[in-house]
Amino acid sequence: MSTNIPALRLTSITKRFGPLTANDTISFDVNQGEVIALLGENGAGKTTLMNILFGHYVADEGSVEVFGQTLPPGDPKAALAAGVGMVHQHFTLADNMTVLDNIALGTQSLFRPRLDRAAAKAKIAGLAQDFGLSVKPDALVADLSVGERQRVEILKALYRDARVLILDEPTAVLTPTETDALFKTLKLLVAKGLSIIFISHKLHEVMAASDRVLVLRAGKLSGERRTVDTNRRELAELMVGREITPPAVPAVPRGRVLFELSGVSTVRQAHGTPLKQANLILHGGQITGVAGVSGNGQAALAGLVAGTETPSAGTVTVNGNAISGWSPRAALAAGIARVPEDRHSQGAVADMSVMENVIAEHYRDARFSRSGLLDWAAARKFTQSIIEDYNVKCPSPDARIRLLSGGNMQKLILGRALDPDPSVILANQPSRGLDVGAVAYVHQKLLEARSRGAAILLISEDLEELLALSDRIVVISEGHLSRPSARGELTVRQIGEMMAGHEAA
Amino acid sequence: MRLEPKPASSLAASILYPLGALLATFVIAGLLVMAAGANPISVFGLVLKGAAGSQFAILETLTRATPLIFTGLAVAVAFRAKLWNIGAEAQLYIGATVTVILGTGALPLPAIVLIPLLMLAALLCGALLLAGPAWLKIRFGVDEVVTTLLLNFIVLLFVSMLLEGVLKDPMSLGWPQSAKVITEAQLPRIIAGKRLHYGFVIAVALAIALWFVMKKTVLGYEMRAVGHNAGAARFLGMPVNGIVMKTALLSGGIAALGGFSEVAGLKGNLTLDLSPGFGYTGIVVAMLAMLNPIGVIFSAIFVAGIFVGAAAMSRAAGVPSYIADVIVATSLLTMVTAIMLSRYRIRWR
Ligand SMILES: Nc1ncnc2c1ncn2[C@@H]1O[C@H](COP(=O)(O)OP(=O)(O)OP(=O)(O)O)[C@@H](O)[C@H]1O
Ligand SMILES: [Mg+2]
C-alpha cells in the first residue's frame, strides 16, 4: 500500500436535522499514524460527524473514504470491516456478559456459534499486553469501573483489527491517572500505524496528546492547526469565537452554617464506597471543593446532600434542623439544589420534553400547579426564560430532552436547580462534558450563587476546577473526609498524595 | 436501513400513521381471505355492513365497544406508568360480582342513589384487587405481570364458586347464574327497546376525563415520568411508590366499572361468560390507541366493529369469523410498527 493514501478522508459531509444543519460541508483527511483532536462547543456537531463516519447516521451529502475506498453510507458493519472502530460517548457494552463475550460478540459467524474461547482469550491477552490495556476477560462488565469499561471498548475495536479509532469524549469520565494511562495506550497504537480521532473539551489534553487539531463551530470546520503551532488560548477562541476569561472569584463574607454532617456513616450501596464517620460543615457564601479519585465515597456524600441516601449513623443538619425522613423531596423542600453526576439516569427523564424536565423538581409549587392542575403556560414561560438566560441550544421547549447535546442538557439542569434561590447547592461534576465557554458560564453561575450567600458543595475530578473555585478543599479517600484546608493552603502535589490515602503532614 | 430518532412527532403524523396502519391491516388480512378462497372486497364489504350498515349494526357495535372502552382505559392508564396490568379481566368480574351482590335487592334504594353507590362499590373493589399486586411490586419487587395474570384465574374460579353457591339464582334450573339485579340498579337504555345503554355514555365521559387527567394534572404528569424513567423520577423528588399505587387504584377501578356496566346496563345478571376476554382485548385496544384515552374510544369501536361485523359476515359468506381475530391481531402489529415509525425516521441507502 502506498503511504500517501490517507487513512481517512471526509469529503464535504453535510447533515441536517430538520431546520438544523448539524454538519455543514466538512472535509478533512487523517493520515496514517496521526492523532487528531476534534474540538468544538457543545452542540457543534462532533458526535454527529463521528456517527456519520461510523455509519450510524447517513449524511445528506458527502462521502467517507477509508484507505481510498468509499464506505457505503449508513452501514456500521462495512465501517468495521474497513477498519473503523468507535468508542461512543455513552458506552455500548452488554452489562450481563463477560468481558470476553463482549469483545468477541458479533465477530463469529452465526453458523459457528461456538466461540473459540481459547483463541479469543489469547488474542485479547496479546492486545492487552501490547497496548497496556489490562482487563480481566472473565469478569462481568456490570462489575467494572468506568475506566475498565473503556479499556474493554478499545479492545473491542482492536480485536476487530481497527486501523482508525474514534473516541468520543473518552476522558470525560476518567480520573486523571486513567487519562494518563489512556494517552499512553494511544501513543502505542499510533506507533503501530493506527490513526486516532478523539473528541475532548479539555484543552490541556488536546495540547498534550494530539498531532493536529480540528475545530468545529456551529457545524462548520472553523479551524485547523498543527498542535505544535497553537496554544490553549487560540483554540478556545477558535471554538467559541471570543476569548474565554475565567470568572473572577470575588471576596464574599462567610455566612452561617447551612449544612452539616457530624459523624455520618452510610451503608454500602451497590456501587462505590460508603462514608465512614464523616464530618463536614458548609457555610453560606463558600464553595467547598471535594477532591478525590472517583469511587471513594463521593456518590454516598452526594446522595446525602441530594436526599437519595440516609445516614446509618451520625446526624445531618440542614439550616440548623437535624433531618429525619430524608428524601429527594425533603431535600428540595429544604432548599437544596442538586446538579447530579449522571444526567441521563438521574438529572432528566430523557423521553420527556425539555419543558416537562425543567419543572420536574418544582411542579408542586404554586407557580406551576394549583389544586392538582398543572399550569403549562407558566411552565413554558419559565422554560423559555431558562433557555434564554443560559443560552441553551434547543429546537423548542417541546423537543424531547434526549436530543440535546450533553452540554445543553447540563445547562438546563443547572438553570432548573438554581432558579428559586437555593441555600445549599450540590454540584456533582457540574462541568463534565462541557465546552470551555459553557464551563466558564457554569462557574460564573455557581459564583453568583455564592455571592448571594449559598453554601456550595463542589465534587469534581478536575483539580484545576477545584482549585480555581473552592474556598476550602476537603479530600475524600476510602470513605473518609479529610479536615478542610483553606484556599492556597495545599499544593496540587499534597492534594494528590492525600487522594492516594496519605494524610497531609 | 437505519433508524434515526425524530425530534417531536407532528399532529399530521399522529393521524397519518394510524391510518396507514389500518390500510396495511386490510391488505394483509385481504391476502388471508383470498387464501381462504373468498373475495376480500366482498368479505370486507360484508364486515363493514355487519358492523355499521344499519342502525341495528351500529348500535350493536357500540354496545360491544362499551366494556372494551372500560378495559382499554384501565390498561392505557396502567401501561402509561409502566404498571403492567394484565388483570383487567379479573377486575371486571369483581366489579360485576359486587354489582349483583348489592344490586339484587340487598339495598332497597331509588335508582338515583343506588346506581352511583354500585359504581362506587365496583370501583373500590376493582381498585383493591389491583392494589395487592401493586403493593407486592413496590414492597418486594414481585413482577405484576405474573400476579395480575394469575389473579384472572383465581377470580374467575372464585366467581364460579359463588355462582354455584351463595349467589346462585334458585330459579335458574341449575345453571350457574345469579339472580337479576332489581330495576333500580339497571342503567337505562339510550334508545328504548334497543340494547345500547348508558354505560356507553359513562365510558366516553370517563375517557375524556382521563385524557384531561393525563394531559393537565399533576398525577398524569407524574405517571408519565414514572413510566419513562422511575429512577430519574425518584431522584427528582417524585413519590414513585405512591404514584404506582395511585395508578393501580385508578386502573383497577376503571376495569371494574366495566363489569358494573355490563351487568347493570346489558345482561342484568352475572354468568361465567359475562366477558369473552374483554380484559385481554383491552390490552389490544389500549395499544392500538397508543395509550391515548380519547384514542381508546375509537380503537374500542374499531375492534368491536370487526368482531360484530365478522360474525355477520360469517353467517352470510361462510368465511369463518376467526378472520376477526386475524384482523385485530394484524392491526395490533401494524399499529406497533406505525408507532415506531412515528418516532423514528427510516433512512434507506
Ligand atoms: N437525531 C437528532 N435529531 C435532531 N437533532 C439532533 C439529533 N442528534 C443531534 N441533534 C442536534 O444536532 C446538534 C449537534 O449535536 P451533537 O451531539 O453532534 O453535538 P456535540 O458537538 O457532540 O456536542 P457535545 O459536546 O455536547 O457532545 C445539536 O444541536 C443536537 O441537538
Ligand atoms: Mg457529543
Side-chain angles (χ1 to χ4, degrees), chain B residues 183-309:
Chain B
T183 329
E184 288 80 1
Q186 286 171 13
L187 285 172
R189 302 283 154 107
I190 293 178
I191 303 169
K194 307 281 193 248
R195 274 157 48 92
L196 187 64
H197 53 91
Y198 269 91
F200 178 73
V201 177
I202 297 174
V204 170
L206 189 63
I208 294 170
L210 284 174
W211 174 83
F212 184 81
V213 167
M214 295 311 296
K215 262 259 159 9
K216 307 276 182 191
T217 69
V218 167
L219 179 63
Y221 168 72
E222 290 177 328
M223 283 164 62
R224 281 184 288 126
V226 169
H228 281 305
N229 186 343
R234 188 168 283 126
F235 181 86
L236 293 168
M238 299 189 190
V240 173
N241 291 346
I243 295 165
V244 170
M245 188 48 90
K246 280 185 204 163
T247 307
L249 297 177
L250 195 59
S251 170
I254 294 168
L257 278 183
F260 156 82
S261 150
E262 281 301 278
V263 169
L266 190 64
K267 301 280 174 60
N269 65 357
L270 175 61
T271 57
L272 276 180
D273 57 5
L274 178 78
S275 155
F278 290 137
Y280 301 104
T281 311
I283 298 173
V284 179
V285 167
M287 297 299 288
L288 282 178
M290 303 189 197
L291 308 186
N292 178 332
I294 301 290
V296 164
I297 302 175
F298 296 101
S299 65
I301 292 175
F302 168 74
V303 170
I306 297 290
F307 278 112
V308 170

Side-chain angles (χ1 to χ4, degrees), chain A residues 29 72 80 90 95 147 248 268 277 306 332 348 371 427 431 448 450 502:
Chain A
D29 287 356
L80 276 170
H90 304 109
D95 269 3
R268 171 173 289 280
Q277 295 284 320
L332 285 165
S371 47
S431 51
E448 282 169 15
R450 168 178 173 269
H502 315 294

Side-chain angles (χ1 to χ4, degrees), chain B residues 5-316:
Chain B
K6 287 182 187 171
S9 35
S10 65
L11 182 67
S14 68
I15 293 169
L16 284 178
Y17 282 98
L19 282 182
L22 209 60
L23 198 70
T25 302
F26 283 105
V27 170
I28 295 169
L31 292 174
L32 289 168
V33 170
M34 268 158 70
N39 177 353
I41 306 285
S42 69
V43 164
F44 289 144
L46 284 170
V47 171
L48 189 64
K49 194 159 152 249
S54 62
Q55 192 207 28
F56 172 80
I58 292 174
L59 292 180
E60 204 47 38
T61 296
L62 296 183
T63 307
R64 176 65 87 93
T66 303
L68 292 178
I69 298 178
F70 283 107
T71 55
L73 289 174
V75 172
V77 163
F79 280 20
R80 189 51 95 195
K82 288 225 169 74
L83 175 73
W84 306 115
N85 175 15
I86 315 295
E89 187 79 4
Q91 293 137 24
L92 180 138
Y93 268 104
I94 283 294
T97 308
V98 171
T99 306
V100 291
I101 290 176
L102 298 178
T104 43
L107 301 172
L109 295 165
I112 188 92
V113 184
L114 185 56
I115 288 179
L117 207 70
L118 290 178
M119 286 175 70
L120 193 69
L123 195 87
L124 279 177
C125 291
L128 281 178
L129 189 63
L130 190 50
W135 183 76
L136 287 172
K137 173 192 169 89
I138 293 166
R139 190 74 180 72
F140 303 109
V142 179
D143 190 343
E144 74 275 19
V145 171
V146 177
T147 49
T148 56
L149 184 66
L150 290 180
L151 266 177
N152 286 340
F153 302 104
I154 294 171
V155 166
L156 209 64
L157 288 169
F158 174 67
V159 170
S160 162
M161 182 188 88
L162 292 179
L163 287 180
E164 298 283 2
V166 287
L167 283 185
K168 188 170 189 170
D169 181 4
M171 316 294 281
S172 73
L173 306 170
W175 288 104
Q177 65 182 39
S178 78
K180 293 253 178 209
V181 293
I182 57 178
T183 329
E184 288 80 1
Q186 286 171 13
L187 285 172
R189 302 283 154 107
I190 293 178
I191 303 169
K194 307 281 193 248
R195 274 157 48 92
L196 187 64
H197 53 91
Y198 269 91
F200 178 73
V201 177
I202 297 174
V204 170
L206 189 63
I208 294 170
L210 284 174
W211 174 83
F212 184 81
V213 167
M214 295 311 296
K215 262 259 159 9
K216 307 276 182 191
T217 69
V218 167
L219 179 63
Y221 168 72
E222 290 177 328
M223 283 164 62
R224 281 184 288 126
V226 169
H228 281 305
N229 186 343
R234 188 168 283 126
F235 181 86
L236 293 168
M238 299 189 190
V240 173
N241 291 346
I243 295 165
V244 170
M245 188 48 90
K246 280 185 204 163
T247 307
L249 297 177
L250 195 59
S251 170
I254 294 168
L257 278 183
F260 156 82
S261 150
E262 281 301 278
V263 169
L266 190 64
K267 301 280 174 60
N269 65 357
L270 175 61
T271 57
L272 276 180
D273 57 5
L274 178 78
S275 155
F278 290 137
Y280 301 104
T281 311
I283 298 173
V284 179
V285 167
M287 297 299 288
L288 282 178
M290 303 189 197
L291 308 186
N292 178 332
I294 301 290
V296 164
I297 302 175
F298 296 101
S299 65
I301 292 175
F302 168 74
V303 170
I306 297 290
F307 278 112
V308 170
M313 176 277 297
S314 143
R315 284 191 294 274

Side-chain angles (χ1 to χ4, degrees), chain A residues 414-484:
Chain A
L414 193 74
R416 169 179 80 192
L418 296 189
D419 182 72
D421 235 348
S423 59
V424 178
I425 300 171
L426 164 72
N428 196 356
Q429 314 288 356
S431 51
R432 177 177 283 178
L434 299 200
D435 66 56
V436 280
V439 169
Y441 191 77
V442 167
H443 286 176
Q444 190 196 326
K445 286 286 167 188
L446 288 176
L447 288 168
E448 282 169 15
R450 168 178 173 269
S451 298
R452 288 194 300 267
I456 300 169
L457 184 68
L458 173 66
I459 302 178
S460 174
E461 272 161 27
D462 185 346
L463 277 184
E464 238 177 281
E465 173 174 51
L466 283 174
L467 291 170
L469 295 182
S470 308
D471 297 286
R472 305 179 313 156
I473 288 189
V474 297
V475 175
I476 192 166
S477 167
E478 290 178 17
H480 294 286
L481 281 180
S482 74
R483 261 178 295 109

Side-chain angles (χ1 to χ4, degrees), chain A residues 21-292:
Chain A
T21 307
N23 289 157
D24 194 349
T25 50
I26 294 175
S27 308
F28 63 83
D29 287 356
V30 180
N31 297 319
Q32 230 175 305
E34 193 179 28
V35 181
I36 301 275
L38 189 59
L39 270 180
E41 279 182 288
N42 295 122
K46 306 177 295 293
T47 299
T48 305
L49 185 64
M50 293 303 108
N51 276 331
I52 289 171
L53 224 173
F54 189 61
H56 275 306
Y57 283 172
V58 178
D60 293 308
E61 284 153 40
S63 65
V64 180
E65 279 170 45
V66 179
F67 292 104
Q69 291 205 311
T70 307
L71 287 185
D75 189 355
K77 275 217 191 81
L80 276 170
V84 180
M86 179 147 174
V87 178
H88 290 272
Q89 198 163 1
H90 304 109
F91 298 153
T92 53
L93 299 173
D95 269 3
N96 53 350
M97 292 172 73
T98 65
V99 168
L100 177 65
D101 289 335
N102 262 287
I103 293 175
L105 196 70
T107 57
Q108 292 265 318
S109 148
L110 272 182
F111 299 102
R112 281 185 48 215
R114 294 288 312 156
L115 179 66
D116 187 350
R117 304 183 76 88
K121 229 174 188 165
K123 182 166 178 186
I124 294 171
L127 289 169
Q129 172 78 40
D130 288 355
F131 301 114
L133 293 161
S134 67
V135 291
K136 295 168 230 124
D138 296 317
L140 271 186
V141 165
D143 299 333
L144 301 185
S145 74
V146 184
E148 286 171 309
R149 281 175 202 227
Q150 188 171 67
R151 293 203 284 274
V152 176
E153 287 274 13
I154 296 174
L155 278 172
K156 203 166 117 186
L158 298 180
Y159 188 85
R160 288 166 170 73
D161 303 317
R163 288 144 81 205
V164 178
L165 188 62
I166 305 167
L167 301 134
D168 195 350
E169 297 195 33
T171 60
V173 291
L174 297 187
T175 63
T177 338
E178 285 173 324
T179 301
D180 289 345
L182 171 70
F183 284 134
K184 271 198 199 100
T185 298
L186 296 190
K187 283 244 154 60
L188 293 170
L189 291 173
V190 189
K192 292 265 164 161
L194 266 81
S195 310
I196 289 169
I197 305 182
F198 76 93
I199 298 177
S200 175
H201 290 295
K202 300 179 190 163
L203 296 176
H204 61 98
E205 292 174 3
V206 170
M207 293 305 297
S210 70
D211 301 317
R212 198 148 56 95
V213 187
L214 299 172
V215 184
L216 279 189
R217 198 165 138 212
K220 288 200 179 68
L221 197 59
S222 67
E224 183 178 347
R225 296 282 185 280
R226 286 191 2 192
T227 310
V228 287
D229 298 337
T230 187
N231 55 48
R232 286 169 69 166
R233 271 246 324 275
E234 188 190 26
L235 290 177
E237 258 189 78
L238 279 174
M239 253 168 79
V240 292
R242 64 194 151 85
E243 202 174 327
I244 299 290
T245 40
V249 182
V252 175
R254 194 173 94 170
R256 55 194 186 83
V257 176
L258 293 176
F259 186 93
E260 183 173 359
L261 301 180
S262 54
V264 170
S265 303
T266 61
V267 289
R268 171 173 289 280
Q269 302 281 339
H271 291 284
T273 318
L275 282 188
K276 290 162 198 145
Q277 295 284 320
N279 295 305
L280 180 71
I281 295 178
L282 303 183
H283 291 275
Q286 280 207 332
I287 297 182
T288 304
V290 179

